[in-house]
Structures are given as C-alpha cells and as structure tokens.
Amino acid sequence: MKLAIIGTGNMGGAIARGLIASGSWQAADLICTAKTDSGIARILASLPGVQASRNNRLAARGADIVILAVKPWLIGEVIEEIRPVLDFNRQLIVSVAAGISLLEMELLLATPESPALFRAIPNTAVEVLDGVTFICRKNATDTQTTLIYNLFSALGYTMVTDEQHLAAGTALASCGIAFAMRYIRAAMEGGVELGFRPEEAARIVEHTVHGAASLLLQSGMHPEVAIDKVTTAGGITIKGLNAMERSGFTASVIDGLKASQ
Ligand SMILES: NC(=O)c1ccc[n+]([C@@H]2O[C@H](COP(=O)([O-])OP(=O)(O)OC[C@H]3O[C@@H](n4cnc5c(N)ncnc54)[C@H](OP(=O)(O)O)[C@@H]3O)[C@@H](O)[C@H]2O)c1
C-alpha cells in the first residue's frame, strides 16, 4: 500500500515521521510533496528513505491513500490540480485541513461519483506516537474507515466522530497541547521559585504530568479519586489545590476551552 502526503510541513511531516517510527509504514511506501526546494530539502533531511517530490499529480496517482496536508486556503487549488489523476474506486482521500468540511471537499472534487472522503484532525503529539486524532467520514464503508482509523491509531488515540464535534475536539486535543504546555511552564516557574534549577524543575514537572496521565489511563480512575489518594485531611496538597481554585484554575481551563472553539 502506498501513501501520498500532499504538503509535508509541520503536520504532514509529523504524520510521516510518526508512521515510520511506529513501524506501521515503510519509508519507501511514502511519497511526500512540498511546494519549494527548501521544503523538499527539509523532507529529505527529516524523512530518510521517503520519495520527495514537487509534483502533486505524480504523488497522488500512485497512492492508495492521499493525505492533503496543505494550509486550508490551498486545499481548493491542490484538489483541482490532482483531481484528473484520482481514481475513487481504489483511492481514499483524507484532508487534515482545519475548517474545510467534507461537503466542501466533495464540492471541490466535483465528481458524479460519491468518493470516500475523510477529515482527520491530529494533534502534534502524533509525531511521538502519543497523539489524539479525530476522524470524520463521508461516503466511506466501514472497511475503508477501519483502514484510515488504523493508519492514525499507529500515531496514538484515535476517535471516529461526526463533524459537529470537531471544533470541540480540536479545542480539547489540539489547542489542549498548548494548554497543557502552559500548565507545565507555570509549574516549572513555580519549581524554580521553590528552589530547583530550571532544567531540574522542567524534568520534574514533565515526568509528574506524564505520570498523572499514565495513572489515569492505566487505572481508568476519575481524576478526583486519584486526587483523594494524595490529599491528606488538613495537609499540604489540599491547601495547594484550594489556593489554585481561589485563583480560578478550573474556571480558567473551561473558559479557555470554550474560547478556543
Ligand atoms: N499544525 C497543527 O497542529 C495542525 C493540526 C491539525 C491540522 N493541521 C492542518 O494541517 C495543514 C498543514 O498545516 P501545517 O502547520 O503543517 O502547515 P505548514 O507547516 O506550512 O506545511 C504546509 C506544507 O504544504 C506545502 N505546500 C504549500 N503549497 C503546496 C502545494 N501547492 N503543493 C504541495 N505542497 C504545498 C508547503 O511546502 P513548502 O514547505 O515547500 O512551503 C509545506 O510543506 C493545515 O491545513 C492545518 O489546518 C495542522
């Protein structure tokens, strides 16, 4: 099976690197495109063994799955460019472009056939195989959906959902990466004030957050149950939690998520 990534920048590159690192795809089965010579040079440097090309038609023609990963405002011209070489009987089209609906894609493809189309919204942690990806589909069979689900599952947690949930999913998982980073940065700064060197504080906080998420993932516990386990009556943890809540911790997170939709 061959995969074409049309537009191999931050997200296209993260997907390609993740797929190869996961072992689910061989570099030789990927063809990655970019617009400029410097884009091609970046692909060749960061993705050894893949075929790099500026020719979108060549890339799309030979692929079983075509992932469109250019900026949203370029999706129209890229679809127009590759449309003549697409064969909807054997190829699946996946767009990762934010804000381009499945209906818009179908209209851009302008074909009397009902092509199997997918939208995928991965977050940047797909590169380290610990991402979150939402998938929506149109005209796709369950078998085709399983194929695309399995592709992204190699890169982390994957959920098939409907388009109405994509904005909320993007806020939680894609913007969520930045929100989690901001907590990490804040805790690091606190750690330095408490007496650790910056690099020590960074490692401590990174591992603490990673450990907290692993505890929940492995046990299925609700976070409040996990909090109860580390909260002694009258102890320091509850004092810290309550001080954070007085500064609006939970409300700030919810406000931020709602503002990001
Ligand atoms: N970054 C994220 O967290 C994230 C998350 C979910 C979805 N997305 C979606 O992913 C898409 C790409 O975003 P990005 O952040 O990866 O952008 P990016 O880093 O700018 O990458 C875009 C890539 O597209 C290439 N390109 C531009 N025009 C092209 C054309 N006509 N034919 C072929 N390739 C072309 C560029 O080539 P050059 O390098 O040569 O200029 C570049 O490699 C967007 O639609 C975005 O909504 C991003």
Side-chain angles (χ1 to χ4, degrees):
M1 189 156 291
K2 300 284 180 191
L3 173 66
I5 300 183
I6 307 295
T8 314
N10 289 317
M11 183 44 73
I15 292 171
R17 282 187 293 277
L19 289 175
I20 294 165
S22 72
S24 58
W25 286 77
Q26 302 294 314
D29 293 326
L30 266 62
I31 178 161
C32 296
T33 74
K35 176 87 173 167
T36 62
D37 287 343
S38 62
I40 294 293
R42 219 178 31 243
I43 294 170
L44 292 173
S46 65
L47 287 158
V50 307
Q51 202 184 328
S53 174
R54 293 177 63 181
N55 187 335
N56 291 331
R57 281 194 182 166
L58 172 89
R61 186 185 283 119
D64 301 285
I65 300 173
V66 179
I67 296 183
L68 306 176
V70 293
K71 291 290 190 189
W73 56 89
L74 295 174
I75 287 286
E77 68 175 62
V78 163
I79 286 183
E80 194 157 322
E81 186 185 349
I82 63 172
R83 197 169 48 197
V85 301
L86 294 176
D87 175 358
F88 301 117
N89 291 318
R90 64 170 190 87
Q91 292 179 306
L92 300 178
I93 315 298
V94 184
S95 162
V96 301
I100 307 287
S101 70
L102 289 164
L103 182 61
E104 283 172 286
M105 279 172 66
E106 197 170 44
L107 292 174
L108 287 166
L109 283 162
T111 166
E113 298 169 78
S114 296
L117 300 178
F118 293 88
R119 279 181 76 183
I121 302 293
N123 70 9
T124 47
V126 292
E127 184 152 6
V128 291
L129 311 184
D130 207 0
V132 174
T133 302
F134 297 96
I135 293 172
C136 315
R137 62 177 176 169
K138 190 164 176 43
N139 310 321
T141 64
D142 287 346
T143 307
Q144 291 168 326
T145 306
T146 301
L147 188 65
I148 300 303
Y149 175 86
N150 287 342
L151 185 149
F152 283 99
S153 286
L155 308 176
Y157 180 72
T158 301
M159 178 187 272
V160 178
T161 185
D162 48 59
E163 269 188 310
Q164 295 98 291
H165 283 93
L166 275 195
T170 303
L172 265 178
S174 299
C175 309
I177 291 272
F179 302 154
M181 296 294 178
R182 193 50 77 80
Y183 168 81
I184 290 169
R185 190 204 74 181
M188 280 164 53
E189 288 174 2
V192 174
E193 192 171 333
L194 294 178
F196 285 103
R197 291 200 301 276
E199 57 281 10
E200 291 173 331
R203 296 298 88 77
I204 293 166
V205 177
E206 287 157 4
H207 284 286
T208 304
V209 170
H210 190 266
S214 294
L215 273 174
L216 296 181
L217 283 168
Q218 286 178 26
S219 66
M221 255 187 300
H222 188 283
E224 280 306 319
V225 175
I227 285 174
D228 281 348
K229 287 181 186 288
V230 292
T231 311
T232 311
I236 53 172
T237 308
I238 192 64
K239 285 182 180 143
L241 282 170
N242 286 346
M244 287 181 191
E245 290 301 343
R246 278 194 296 279
S247 297
F249 185 81
T250 299
S252 294
V253 172
I254 295 171
D255 280 355
L257 286 167
K258 284 161 72 179
S260 291
Q261 265 199 271

